[in-house]
Amino acid sequence: MRPVRTAFAGALLGTLLLAGCGQGGDTTTASAPTTAAPTAPAASSGGFPVTIEAGNGKVTISKKPQRIVSLSATHTETLFAIGAGPQVIAVDDQSNHPPEAPRTNLSGFKPNVEAIVAQKPDLVIVSDDLDKVVAELGKVNVPVLLQPAATQLDEAYEEIAELGAATGNQAKADEVVSGMKAAIGKLAAQAPKDKQLTYYHELDTTPYAATSKTFIGQIYGLFGLTNIADKAPDAAGGYPKLSAEFVAQADPDLIFLADVKCCQQSKDTLAKRPGWQNLSAIKNDQVVQLDDDIASRWGPRVVDLAEAIGAAVSKAGTS
C-alpha cells in the first residue's frame, strides 16, 4: 500500500489561468481532505480487480479498462506517458498533449454527463468534482477516479502510480516516477544556490502569483530560490494578487511568465508596465517565458518545467 496522501489544500491555479487569460490547464478547486493509495490487488488475471483510494473514496475497478475518458489535461498526459494511451478513447477540450490524444469538445470545467456517457466509458478520470459529475456518473454505473491537483511532488508521483494501477500499467508508471525523481533531483543538485536569487512567478496579467506553499512554488524551492510572493499581504491562500508596486519594490532577480500563450506576455510587455522598466530581471535579461500548460499541470512534464527553471538559475548564477 502506498503512503496516504496529505490533505488537499485546494488553491485555484487552473481556475485563475482560465479566468485571467481565457485559457487554463486543469481546474484545482478546493476539496475536502482525502487519502489516495491503491490497495494490493486481489489475485486475478492482469492484477484486477484493483481498488484505488482516490478523492472520491475507494474505487474498485473490476477489469482492465479499455474505454477511458479523461477530463483532466494533466491526467491525459500521464495516461499516455505510462502506456495507457491505446485505452483512452476521448479526452476533454483542454487536453492538448500529446498531439495524438483523442481530443473532443467534452469539458472538465462544465462536464456534460450525457455526452460523457455517450462515449461508453468503462473509466472516467477527473481532477475536480464540478457539477457533482462523480455522483451523476455513479448513477449510471460509470466508474470515476477523482485525482485532485497535487499540492506537492510526492502527491504527483502518487497519482501517476495510482493511474498505473487503475489502468493495468503499474510497471511503466513506476518507471515514469523513478525517471522523474532522478531527473528533477539531478537538475536541482546542479543548480548554483550561493547567490540567493529571488524570483516572481506570474500566473496571469492581473497579476496573480504563486507562493512557496503551492505545488509550483515547491518546485522552485528545490533550486534554492526565494519567492517574493511569500511576503504579499494576502499570501495565505497561496495565490496572492500582487500590485505592480509590490513587484517593483521587491525587484526579483528572475521573472517566470506562465501567461505567454494565453496573454502574450514577454520581457517587452513587462517593461511597459508602470515602474517595471528598471527591474533587475528585465535589465539583465532574466525573464523566462514558460509554456503555460507545463507550468499549470502536475504530471510527467514537471521535469520540463524543472529544466526551464534550472537553466534560468544556472544562467543567473554565472552572470
Side-chain angles (χ1 to χ4, degrees):
M1 182 177 294
R2 297 180 184 277
V4 173
R5 181 185 302 166
T6 58
F8 178 63
L12 300 175
L13 174 56
T15 303
L16 288 175
L17 285 167
L18 182 71
C21 305
Q23 173 178 326
D26 286 295
T27 55
T28 59
T29 51
S31 158
T34 63
T35 59
T39 62
S44 67
S45 177
F48 289 88
V50 64
T51 299
I52 310 293
E53 266 193 52
N56 53 320
K58 292 183 178 181
V59 179
T60 298
I61 301 169
S62 59
K63 60 183 179 179
K64 184 175 180 177
Q66 300 296 333
R67 297 188 61 82
I68 299 172
V69 171
S70 171
L71 299 182
S72 160
T74 291
H75 299 323
T76 295
E77 294 187 12
T78 296
L79 289 166
F80 277 82
I82 65 175
Q87 299 159 254
V88 179
I89 51 98
V91 301
D92 71 300
D93 55 4
Q94 296 297 309
S95 290
N96 54 8
H97 183 85
E100 63 268 26
R103 195 173 182 184
T104 69
N105 61 358
L106 292 175
S107 174
F109 295 106
K110 292 186 177 298
N112 182 317
V113 173
E114 289 185 2
I116 297 169
V117 172
Q119 297 289 338
K120 299 181 179 179
D122 50 16
L123 180 64
V124 175
I125 299 170
V126 299
S127 57
D128 269 294
D129 188 18
L130 298 175
D131 295 337
K132 299 181 179 180
V133 65
V134 173
E136 292 302 310
L137 288 171
K139 291 178 181 178
V140 289
N141 298 317
V142 175
V144 183
L145 278 182
L146 170 59
Q147 298 282 48
T151 61
Q152 52 186 298
L153 263 174
D154 283 347
E155 290 179 7
Y157 297 146
E158 192 177 278
E159 288 193 352
I160 293 170
E162 290 165 3
L163 289 179
T167 63
N169 295 277
Q170 184 72 72
K172 180 60 177 178
D174 289 343
E175 180 184 322
V176 168
V177 169
S178 295
M180 291 175 67
K181 289 180 177 179
I184 292 174
K186 182 178 180 180
L187 288 165
Q190 291 174 339
K193 301 178 178 67
D194 56 336
K195 285 204 171 183
Q196 298 182 329
L197 300 169
T198 59
Y199 79 97
Y200 161 56
H201 177 93
E202 179 168 290
L203 293 173
D204 66 16
T205 56
T206 305
Y208 277 100
T211 70
S212 297
K213 293 182 179 181
T214 64
F215 178 85
I216 189 75
Q218 291 173 31
I219 303 299
Y220 284 106
L222 296 174
F223 293 86
L225 298 177
T226 298
N227 192 339
I228 68 165
D230 290 348
K231 294 184 178 181
D234 57 349
Y239 298 95
K241 178 180 178 181
L242 305 181
S243 67
E245 293 77 15
F246 179 91
V247 177
Q249 185 174 5
D251 193 18
D253 298 304
L254 291 158
I255 294 177
F256 295 88
L257 299 176
D259 51 1
V260 177
K261 289 182 181 178
C262 71
C263 313
Q264 294 76 53
Q265 294 304 292
S266 66
K267 181 180 74 173
D268 292 338
T269 62
L270 295 188
K272 295 177 182 178
R273 297 183 188 180
W276 286 34
Q277 66 271 18
N278 293 319
L279 288 180
S280 297
I282 293 176
K283 291 193 298 181
N284 298 329
D285 194 26
Q286 303 290 357
V287 177
V288 182
Q289 293 179 258
L290 300 172
D291 182 301
D292 300 26
D293 297 327
I294 293 174
S296 67
R297 298 172 187 173
W298 60 97
R301 288 201 294 168
V302 168
V303 174
D304 295 346
L305 175 62
E307 287 178 350
I309 296 171
V313 172
S314 296
K315 177 184 174 184
T318 57
S319 61

